[in-house]
Amino acid sequence: MSRIKEDLISEIIRLSQTNLLDKKCGNMSSESQEQAVMDWVRKNAADYRVDFQSRLDVYSASKLGEILKDLTGTGKDLSDILEDIEPVHRG
């Protein structure tokens, strides 16, 4: 994987986590927000990163740029964005 693609994926995941936590914790007091964020990071951040890194790896750098732009402009997280562009697999 190219360095540019690695950097794009890292930034996409970082911004997606930020957007997700903003949605989850946006209406809490600042103390509650801090605790909720720390709990989420401790319990979920590594799995979140691994899952989305493997899912994003299949996209071209230009598509990753589009995803980053969408995350930046909308406040969505990757779950919202990828459900619109990934095929649904049913078992």
Side-chain angles (χ1 to χ4, degrees):
M1 180 174 8
S2 76
R3 183 71 189 155
I4 292 172
K5 205 169 157 181
E6 286 177 29
D7 290 346
L8 276 169
I9 289 172
S10 291
E11 182 60 16
I12 287 167
I13 292 170
R14 185 202 63 77
L15 184 55
S16 178
Q17 288 175 328
T18 300
N19 290 350
L20 176 68
L21 290 169
D22 283 348
K23 284 192 285 189
K24 286 182 178 282
C25 306
N27 57 355
M28 296 177 174
S29 69
S30 65
E31 188 174 301
S32 295
Q33 280 181 350
E34 187 174 322
Q35 186 60 48
V37 168
M38 294 304 295
D39 289 344
W40 188 91
V41 168
R42 189 173 27 262
K43 295 174 185 173
N44 302 302
D47 289 339
Y48 189 94
R49 177 167 291 281
V50 168
D51 177 48
F52 281 113
Q53 193 158 8
S54 65
R55 291 171 66 184
L56 291 169
D57 191 39
V58 301
Y59 295 105
S60 68
S62 65
K63 183 62 179 176
L64 291 170
E66 291 174 26
I67 291 170
L68 181 60
K69 183 179 177 184
D70 199 11
L71 286 169
T72 302
T74 63
K76 293 180 180 180
D77 65 83
L78 280 168
S79 296
D80 299 330
I81 291 171
L82 294 182
E83 77 180 16
D84 293 338
I85 60 176
E86 286 183 341
V88 175
H89 298 286
R90 302 192 193 253

